């Protein structure tokens, strides 16, 4: 039995088809733009806190030193904020903002929302897929189930959610939104 906090999406898991590769890449592009904004805010907060802790004079000395530009603690903060961005949306509604625009969703194979462990596995598998020049995503072109490396690693799948207009034509059922369209 599933815990009460675990919700199943309204569509039957078998009624949704795998999301095409181009929609996945389009959603990644949108999410990439959002991540840049998140990284700016994270960096600003980090530098403000660092300035408050070590002082402005020490910050000035660090900026003028010959030491390289790398800051391991800032890198860790950016990495954590990136993971949290994806994991929060994946576990709450199954979609990041970019995925919402392109009507795709991540879910368990049985149609339930994914959990935090699955989101962690999915995140690291996505990093590995990107590190291999996208091979982990292109893998779906040869996979019988149209799954990518992140899908396989986290036991999830990305599905395409048709619009209300397309739902009627696919399942033959009448939806309330479509009834109103007929009256107009």
């Amino acid at each position: 039995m599933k815990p009460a906090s675990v919700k199943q999406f309204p569509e039957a898991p078998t009624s949704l088809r795998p999301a095409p590769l181009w929609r996945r890449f389009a959603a990644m592009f949108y999410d990439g733009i959002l991540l840049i904004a998140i990284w700016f805010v994270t960096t600003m907060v980090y530098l403000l806190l660092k300035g408050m802790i070590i002082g402005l004079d020490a910050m000035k000395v660090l900026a003028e030193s010959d030491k390289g530009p790398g800051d391991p603690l800032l890198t860790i903060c950016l990495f954590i904020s990136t993971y949290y961005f994806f994991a929060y949306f994946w576990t709450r509604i199954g979609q990041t903002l970019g995925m919402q625009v392109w009507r795709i969703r991540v879910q368990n194979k049985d149609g339930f929302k994914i959990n935090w462990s699955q989101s962690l596995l999915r995140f690291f598998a996505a990093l590995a897929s990107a590190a291999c020049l996208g091979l982990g995503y292109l893998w779906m072109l040869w996979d019988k189930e149209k799954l990518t490396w992140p899908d396989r690693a986290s036991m999830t799948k990305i599905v395409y959610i048709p619009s209300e207009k397309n739902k009627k034509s696919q399942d033959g059922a009448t939806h309330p939104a479509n009834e109103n369209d007929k009256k107009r």
Side-chain angles (χ1 to χ4, degrees), residues 1-8 91-92 112-116:
M1 184 170 163
K2 300 282 182 183
S5 64
V6 178
K7 303 273 191 221
Q8 188 169 19
T91 59
R92 297 288 176 195
F112 284 84
K113 292 179 183 178
I114 71 171
N115 60 41
W116 285 90

Side-chain angles (χ1 to χ4, degrees), residues 30-48:
Y30 276 47
D31 289 335
I33 293 169
L34 291 169
L35 274 176
I36 291 170
I38 290 169
W39 292 339
F40 275 124
V41 171
T42 302
T43 302
M44 181 184 70
V45 170
Y46 173 81
L47 291 175
L48 285 172

Side-chain angles (χ1 to χ4, degrees), residues 49-166:
L49 290 173
K50 186 175 179 177
M52 289 170 40
I53 292 169
I54 68 170
L56 294 178
D57 292 334
M59 289 284 287
K60 187 176 180 181
V61 170
L62 280 175
E64 294 172 352
S65 71
D66 289 336
K67 183 182 172 194
D71 186 340
L73 189 55
L74 176 58
T75 303
I76 291 169
C77 290
L78 293 173
F79 186 80
I80 290 170
S81 66
T82 301
Y83 166 69
Y84 189 73
F85 167 78
F86 286 108
Y88 177 81
F89 284 108
W90 288 339
T91 59
R92 297 288 176 195
I93 59 174
Q95 299 172 294
T96 61
L97 298 174
M99 293 169 83
Q100 290 175 34
V101 170
W102 291 100
R103 294 193 322 265
I104 61 176
R105 177 178 66 217
V106 63
Q107 63 185 33
N108 285 321
K109 293 181 181 185
D110 60 358
F112 284 84
K113 292 179 183 178
I114 71 171
N115 60 41
W116 285 90
S117 300
Q118 288 175 300
S119 70
L120 186 63
L121 289 169
R122 182 169 191 81
F123 181 74
F124 280 110
L127 290 176
S129 296
C132 294
L133 304 175
L135 180 61
Y137 295 108
L138 296 174
W139 188 262
M140 76 172 285
L141 298 174
W142 299 279
D143 190 277
K144 290 179 184 177
E145 297 177 66
K146 301 292 183 202
L147 298 176
T148 62
W149 291 354
D151 296 333
R152 290 229 176 257
S154 61
M155 293 182 290
T156 61
K157 63 181 181 177
I158 301 262
V159 294
Y160 170 68
I161 306 165
S163 65
E164 288 297 319
K165 192 179 223 183
N166 290 341

